[in-house]
């Protein structure tokens, strides 16, 4: 396995290794944890084993069927959601409330159903192959987990006490271990076992697989209802069927073993896991047969070490020991190095793990049981350390991936740490406080606990003001209900992660005696009003939070009003901005252009042939010369302001691949298309891409722009362009130009000084095609007697235009999809007036050679940059 897929597998398996590490930590913590036995089992089975099954069942399905891999992003989403559900189950079941754990179980069930549906679709789309029989095992395993998860949710609820609870517990354990884990393992071994032994697949495999699966499913379908009904002999019959299925399934493995003995640690570990599985099956069958039905669950509890340490752990470690070096990449030499790394001390680890099993299962003295735990945890911990070396080796070489993987690992650690801290470090619950409620503390004036729901939506934080007595233990439950990513940072230092739409996070603070400010750190969002204030109750500090740039360190969304960032009125070069005509001096539009400056090509070329136009647009930041001697960092489409001009005819289809190469979220909104904005106009994050497809049903000069809020900032910083859709009767001209007029706001993009000017409508200048007075320095060309068409779009964000050519009336005016004036009409026109986001064109004929200015006849705009010239030569 090579390339991206192997890299993704490696990163995904870091999650499995992390859960294994947490299992070891939970075992070492022992009684310091609530329900230590329960936590240990579920950290291992729900965390490590379930993650491994989700990862590898998908991989083996794709590999064995030669099927097209599912979208990697959705695979990651399933794994992440399953792990989130596991975390919720762990916290909810140990700290409460119970419905929290039940909700987590529902999430896991939903993810596994989704995962199973993906496998079914892959199998249906794939061609028949010799290993297609493996996939139904994973489907059946998914169905078993759905049933087991439902039972788990019911177990947590307080409505199933007494004998019913015991029966449900037994059924839950049986269907999860024998169904979800057992079926997945048996199905995988049909191909993994001969691969580990480096030999061919047994000819018995296909028939044995199909027969065994039918028997196993039938066995579970009988034994699980038997547990639920308390019908002991029905349960025994079902377990007998399942045991028969296991015997049939293992027949090809035994046949393979006769031809080739294990020679690697993975082979020996897998063999031990299979052997312990058979021992566990027989023991389970005997114990259920000889014990009353009401005691089945307690009987199965005694089998847990046998199942977990003997069967599941060794199967998982053996599989990972074989697969991790293969997916770590680096070529044959690196493969050997990683395999050798995982094999270090394997004989001692193998012996320790298998010696530990009987010490943990049999009724031995306490010191021997303690020795068993030491042997087991030591062997697993050693494997975790070696595995991390293999997993993190290539990841550390790929530094952009380090935060993501580290985040997953740290997240898993914090899940367990949160449980430990909450139980061992939190104050005891006061009267009337249920599980999971933050207890009252002695610090501060009040010492009360309070939870406040905080919503991020519409570029606002709601509520914007919270009052609480000093000393209150305040929990902010922050939910992002907006269409783009946000976070919440407090001036006390706490902050949520950057949250996707729909995500939630909690912030907890002990209310101080002074106000606490909060804001979103996404560039420009704080300045746009995404702020809040938490104030001590009974004080006079409840004034709205200020948005000045000096409000706190760590604000990524503001830039100070630094005088050094202003351009000089004498035309000196700068890389920031200028005070413009707003009281700090005007742009010097007569200053010479910098060396290497090139104007935006205003020439409009005819529409390309064909009825479908494909273009790739990249959002990226670029430093551009926006006025003579003034450079400004801009947010752009394809590195220019405006972005690329698209042209076509009525009925043409435009397919735009939008790629976000910038450092923040951006989107696209094409006014020329008619379609629901929910998906194509959504904000995508850095590194993401989407396809935007629309049909141009109407002629006109159309604006497109960034759709991410606050749109005023994104448009003001250069994220706009034009789409030209020719009217059906468009006549021939000698030259065509396009001018997109926009406003110029200098300063740090998204910074407070710039945003204040945008909000107040005080531009530093106005531009044609991204440069103030650019076409004064690089005139547009024409010849006397030529017919010229000038297309225009007003990008705003706040001002329109009154486009006028000095010295020549227009004989044709087309505005917003309709002719206002046609050639041959007795009248003429002197200006094309466009409000923000409107467009059109004018036509004219230059009567003689000379220089003809083109301006926005709102003279404030013209004198501050919305100005250029036509240089008209002799015919």
């Amino acid at each position: 396995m090579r390339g991206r897929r192997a890299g993704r597998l490696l990163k995904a398996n870091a999650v499995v290794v992390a859960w294994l590490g947490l299992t070891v930590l939970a075992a070492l913590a022992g009684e310091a944890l609530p329900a230590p036995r329960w936590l240990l089992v579920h950290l291992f089975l729900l965390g490590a084993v379930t993650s491994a099954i989700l990862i590898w069942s998908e991989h083996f399905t794709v590999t064995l069927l030669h099927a097209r891999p599912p979208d990697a992003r959705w695979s990651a989403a399933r794994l992440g959601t399953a792990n989130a559900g596991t975390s919720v189950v762990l916290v909810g079941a140990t700290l409460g409330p119970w419905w929290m754990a039940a909700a987590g179980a529902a999430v896991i069930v939903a993810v596994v159903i989704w995962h199973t549906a993906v496998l079914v679709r892959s199998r249906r789309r794939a061609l028949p192959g010799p290993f297609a029989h493996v996939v139904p095992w994973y489907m059946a395993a998914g169905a078993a987990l759905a049933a087991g998860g439902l039972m788990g949710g019911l177990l947590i609820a307080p409505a199933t006490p007494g004998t019913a609870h015991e029966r449900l517990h037994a059924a839950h354990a049986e269907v999860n271990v024998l169904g979800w884990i057992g079926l997945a393992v048996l199905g995988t071994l049909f191909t993994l076992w001969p691969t580990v032994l480096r030999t061919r697949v047994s000819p018995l495999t296909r028939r044995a697989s199909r027969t065994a699966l039918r028997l196993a499913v039938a066995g579970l379908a009988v034994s699980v209802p038997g547990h639920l009904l308390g019908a002991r002999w029905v349960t025994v019959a079902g377990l007998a069927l399942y045991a028969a299925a296991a015997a049939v399934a293992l027949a090809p493995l035994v046949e393979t073993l006769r031809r080739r003995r294990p020679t690697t640690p993975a082979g020996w570990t897998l063999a031990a896991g299979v052997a312990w599985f058979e021992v566990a099956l027989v023991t389970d069958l005997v114990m259920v047969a000889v014990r009353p039905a009401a005691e089945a669950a307690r009987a199965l509890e005694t089998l847990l070490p046998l199942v977990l340490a003997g069967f599941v752990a060794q199967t998982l470690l053996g599989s990972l020991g074989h697969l991790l070096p293969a997916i770590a990449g680096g070529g044959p030499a690196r493969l050997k190095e990683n395999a050798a790394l995982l094999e270090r001390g394997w004989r001692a680890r193998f012996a320790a793990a298998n010696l530990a099993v009987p010490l943990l299962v049999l009724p031995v003295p306490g010191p021997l049981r303690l020795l068993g735990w030491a042997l087991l945890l030591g062997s697993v911990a050693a494997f975790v350390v070696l595995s991390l070396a293999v997993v993190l080796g290539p990841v550390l070489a790929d530094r952009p991936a380090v935060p993501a993987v580290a985040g997953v690992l740290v997240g898993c650690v914090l899940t367990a740490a949160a449980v430990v801290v909450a139980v061992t470090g939190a104050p005891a619950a006061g009267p009337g406080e249920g599980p999971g409620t933050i207890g009252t503390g002695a610090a501060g004036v009040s010492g009360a606990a309070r939870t406040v729901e905080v919503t991020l939506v519409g570029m606002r934080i709601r509520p914007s003001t919270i009052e609480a007595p000093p000393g209150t233990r305040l929990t902010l439950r922050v939910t992002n209900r907006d269409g783009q990513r946000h976070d919440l940072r407090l001036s006390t230092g706490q902050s949520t992660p950057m949250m996707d739409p729909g995500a939630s996070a909690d912030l907890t603070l002990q209310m101080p005696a002074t106000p606490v400010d909060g804001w979103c750190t996404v560039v420009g969002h704080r300045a746009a009003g995404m702020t809040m204030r938490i104030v001590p109750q009974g004080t006079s500090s409840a004034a709205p939070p200020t948005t000045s740039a000096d409000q706190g360190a760590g604000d990524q969304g503001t830039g100070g009003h630094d005088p050094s960032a202003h351009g000089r009125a004498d035309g000196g070069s700068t890389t920031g901005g200028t005070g413009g005509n707003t009281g700090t001096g005007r742009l010097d539009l007569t200053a010479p252009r910098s060396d290497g400056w090139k104007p935006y090509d205003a020439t409009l070329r005819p529409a390309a042939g064909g009825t479908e136009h494909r273009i790739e647009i990249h959002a990226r930041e670029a430093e551009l010369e926006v006025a003579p001697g003034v450079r400004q960092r801009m947010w752009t489409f394809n590195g220019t302001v405006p972005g690329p001009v698209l042209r076509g005819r009525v009925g043409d289809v435009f397919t735009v691949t939008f790629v976000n190469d910038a450092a923040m979220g951006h989107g696209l909104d094409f006014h020329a298309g008619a379609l629901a904005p929910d998906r194509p106009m959504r904000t995508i994050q850095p590194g993401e891409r989407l396809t935007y497809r629309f049909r141009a049903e109407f002629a006109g000069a159309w604006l497109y722009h960034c759709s991410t809020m606050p749109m005023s900032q994104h448009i003001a910083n250069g994220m706009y362009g034009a789409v030209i859709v020719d009217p059906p009767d468009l006549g021939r001209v000698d030259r065509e130009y396009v001018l997109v007029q926009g406003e110029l706001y200098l300063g740090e993009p998204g910074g407070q000084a710039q945003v204040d000017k945008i909000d107040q409508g005080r531009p530093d200048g106005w531009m044609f095609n991204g440069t103030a007075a650019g076409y004064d320095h690089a005139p547009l060309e024409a010849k006397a007697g030529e017919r010229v068409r000038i297309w225009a779009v007003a990008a705003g964000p706040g001002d329109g235009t009154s486009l006028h050519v000095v010295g020549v009336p227009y004989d044709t005016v087309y505005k917003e999809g309709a002719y206002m004036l046609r050639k041959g009409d007795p009248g003429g026109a002197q200006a094309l007036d466009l409000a923000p986001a409107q467009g059109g064109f004018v036509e004219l004929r230059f009567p003689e050679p000379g220089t003809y200015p083109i301006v926005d006849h709102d003279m404030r705009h013209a004198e501050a940059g919305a100005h250029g010239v036509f240089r008209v030569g002799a015919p």
Side-chain angles (χ1 to χ4, degrees):
M1 291 169 289
R2 297 178 181 178
R4 291 184 177 178
R5 193 159 147 228
R8 288 194 295 266
L9 275 173
L10 187 65
K11 294 168 190 174
N13 276 278
V15 179
V16 179
V17 175
W19 283 115
L20 282 173
L22 288 179
T23 303
V24 173
L25 292 177
L28 293 174
E31 296 303 320
L33 296 175
R37 185 182 181 89
W38 187 94
L39 264 178
L40 179 66
V41 170
H42 287 80
L43 276 169
F44 181 52
L45 295 183
L46 270 184
V49 178
T50 294
S51 295
I53 293 174
L54 289 174
I55 295 164
W56 288 106
S57 60
E58 180 179 289
H59 170 72
F60 286 134
T61 296
V62 171
T63 302
L64 296 175
L65 298 180
H66 300 288
R68 181 180 179 181
D71 189 315
R73 292 170 296 183
W74 288 117
S75 298
R78 285 189 290 276
L79 181 62
T81 306
N83 279 274
T86 297
S87 301
V88 172
V89 169
L90 295 175
V91 175
T94 53
L95 301 179
W98 69 267
W99 52 261
M100 180 180 179
V107 169
I108 297 170
V109 169
V111 169
V112 172
I113 291 173
W114 180 15
H115 169 79
T116 305
V118 171
L119 302 187
V120 171
R121 185 168 64 248
S122 297
R123 187 169 185 264
R124 286 178 177 173
R125 292 180 177 179
L127 295 174
F131 302 111
H133 62 87
V134 171
V135 181
W137 286 85
Y138 298 142
M139 298 175 187
L145 190 277
L150 175 62
M151 296 175 195
L154 294 174
L155 274 173
I156 299 167
T160 53
T163 305
H165 188 278
E166 290 298 312
R167 294 201 299 264
L168 187 62
H169 187 188
H172 166 75
E174 203 89 80
V175 75
N176 279 338
V177 173
L178 298 185
W180 172 235
I181 299 172
L183 295 180
V185 168
L186 289 174
T188 300
L189 287 175
F190 286 119
T191 53
L192 181 62
W193 178 245
T195 301
V196 170
L197 296 187
R198 297 183 177 87
T199 186
R200 59 182 176 83
V201 176
S202 169
L204 304 174
T205 298
R206 189 181 302 184
R207 179 178 296 178
S209 172
R210 291 172 177 167
T211 302
L213 181 59
R214 295 189 188 101
L215 289 172
V217 170
L220 288 172
V222 172
S223 64
V224 173
H227 277 301
L228 292 173
L229 297 173
R232 179 172 48 164
W233 295 109
V234 173
T235 305
V236 170
L239 289 175
L241 279 174
Y242 190 96
V248 173
L250 295 176
L253 278 65
V254 174
E255 192 275 334
T256 302
L257 187 61
R258 289 174 179 171
R259 289 186 282 105
R260 185 73 175 250
R261 296 288 189 274
T263 58
T264 64
W268 281 106
T269 307
L270 281 174
V274 171
W276 285 119
F277 180 53
E278 286 295 314
V279 172
L281 278 179
V282 173
T283 307
D284 185 15
L285 181 61
V286 171
M287 293 183 72
V288 171
V290 300
R291 297 283 185 92
E295 299 180 12
R298 288 194 293 274
L300 293 176
E301 285 284 329
T302 63
L303 283 177
L304 272 176
L306 177 60
V307 173
L308 298 183
F311 163 48
V312 183
Q314 297 210 68
T315 303
L316 179 62
L317 298 188
S319 301
L320 290 176
H322 175 76
L323 295 167
L324 284 181
I327 63 175
R334 186 58 182 268
L335 175 64
K336 291 181 179 178
E337 290 176 7
N338 286 330
L341 182 62
L342 284 180
E343 290 177 5
R344 289 184 182 177
W346 78 268
R347 290 180 176 82
R349 289 188 279 120
F350 178 79
N354 284 280
L355 179 59
V357 175
L359 294 178
L360 295 174
V361 174
L362 299 175
V364 297
L368 289 179
R369 182 175 295 276
L370 187 61
L371 174 62
W373 277 113
L375 292 172
L376 177 63
L377 295 179
S379 61
V380 175
F383 180 86
V384 168
V385 172
L386 297 173
S387 297
L388 284 174
V390 172
V391 169
L392 295 181
V395 172
L396 289 173
D398 180 16
R399 295 196 176 273
V402 171
V405 176
V408 171
L409 297 177
V410 171
C412 293
V413 171
L414 291 179
T415 299
V419 176
V420 176
V421 171
V423 175
T424 61
E433 293 177 346
T437 305
I438 300 174
T440 57
V445 176
S446 168
R450 180 183 172 197
T451 298
V452 178
E453 298 289 340
V454 176
T455 303
L456 311 179
V457 64
M459 298 301 298
R460 292 292 181 269
I461 301 175
R462 299 175 181 170
S464 61
T465 302
I466 299 171
E467 292 189 51
T472 301
R473 186 177 176 84
L474 192 62
T475 298
L476 305 183
R477 189 151 295 153
V478 186
T479 302
N480 180 11
R481 300 198 183 281
D482 209 0
Q484 60 177 303
R485 300 176 81 200
H486 294 294
D487 66 350
L488 177 60
R489 180 183 180 87
L490 301 180
S491 55
T492 51
Q494 296 100 321
S495 64
T496 70
M498 193 63 65
M499 296 182 293
D500 291 327
S504 296
D506 286 357
L507 294 179
T508 302
L509 72 154
Q510 201 83 14
M511 184 63 208
T514 55
V516 176
D517 289 325
W519 62 91
C520 177
T521 68
V522 175
V523 61
H525 288 197
R526 182 181 185 184
M530 286 200 74
T531 59
M532 70 176 300
R533 171 164 283 193
I534 308 170
V535 297
Q537 201 167 47
T539 70
S540 57
S541 306
T546 177
T547 56
S548 64
D550 60 354
Q551 203 169 27
D555 177 9
Q556 303 170 16
T558 61
H561 193 82
D562 185 355
S564 67
H566 290 279
R568 301 205 308 265
D570 61 2
S573 179
T574 179
T575 308
T578 169
N581 60 349
T582 59
T584 54
R586 293 180 180 271
L587 293 167
D588 183 357
L589 301 178
T590 64
R593 290 289 175 181
S594 302
D595 294 339
W597 173 79
K598 293 182 179 180
Y600 186 97
D601 187 1
T603 304
L604 182 63
R605 292 162 181 81
T611 59
E612 183 166 355
H613 310 283
R614 296 180 178 272
I615 187 172
E616 192 165 287
I617 293 180
H618 292 253
R620 58 171 66 111
E621 295 185 3
E623 187 175 281
L624 303 176
E625 186 164 339
V626 293
V630 178
R631 298 184 66 80
Q632 166 81 9
R633 184 160 60 90
M634 304 290 284
W635 302 342
T636 75
F637 293 126
N638 284 10
T640 63
V641 177
V645 177
L646 285 63
R647 190 175 193 183
R649 302 174 181 85
V650 174
D652 286 1
V653 173
F654 292 84
T655 302
V656 180
T657 301
F658 179 45
V659 184
N660 190 356
D661 294 331
M664 61 182 295
H666 292 294
L668 268 180
D669 177 359
F670 282 94
H671 290 195
L675 69 172
D678 308 61
R679 297 290 295 168
M681 299 183 196
R682 72 185 186 274
T683 296
I684 64 172
Q685 299 307 316
E688 295 181 346
R689 62 172 57 210
L690 64 76
T691 299
Y692 193 131
R693 192 171 188 269
F694 67 92
R695 184 181 301 276
E697 302 286 1
F698 303 100
W702 302 88
L703 177 69
Y704 72 87
H705 60 87
C706 181
S707 60
T708 297
M709 291 290 289
M711 290 187 200
S712 59
Q713 290 184 32
H714 289 252
I715 295 172
N717 280 296
M719 302 198 79
Y720 55 81
V723 178
I724 306 299
V725 182
D726 293 349
D729 57 351
L730 190 65
R732 180 188 173 279
V733 293
D734 297 298
R735 297 178 190 261
E736 285 187 277
Y737 292 102
V738 60
L739 298 178
V740 183
Q741 182 171 324
E743 299 158 29
L744 174 60
Y745 293 92
L746 297 171
E748 179 66 22
Q752 189 64 54
Q754 189 206 50
V755 172
D756 285 346
K757 289 187 288 185
I758 295 172
D759 290 344
Q760 297 162 17
R762 297 186 293 108
D764 295 294
W766 284 263
M767 307 178 290
F768 287 149
N769 291 348
T771 308
Y775 297 119
D776 285 0
H777 297 261
L780 304 173
E781 301 287 342
K783 293 183 179 180
E786 287 185 334
R787 187 163 189 79
V788 177
R789 181 180 296 128
I790 306 168
W791 294 83
V793 174
D799 290 335
T801 186
S802 179
L803 194 67
H804 171 73
V805 177
V806 179
V808 189
Y810 305 141
D811 62 26
T812 302
V813 176
Y814 180 92
K815 174 184 173 182
E816 286 294 281
Y819 283 96
M820 314 297 291
L821 177 71
R822 286 180 180 268
K823 178 186 175 184
D825 291 346
Q830 54 200 308
L832 172 62
D833 62 314
L834 300 173
Q838 288 189 328
F841 68 79
V842 295
E843 294 178 7
L844 68 157
R845 189 183 298 275
F846 291 104
E848 59 184 352
T851 299
Y852 296 78
I854 181 169
V855 301
D856 179 348
H857 215 284
D858 182 328
M859 284 296 118
R860 298 174 302 119
H861 300 176
E863 293 165 5
H867 186 286
V869 295
F870 274 95
R871 184 165 55 200
V872 179

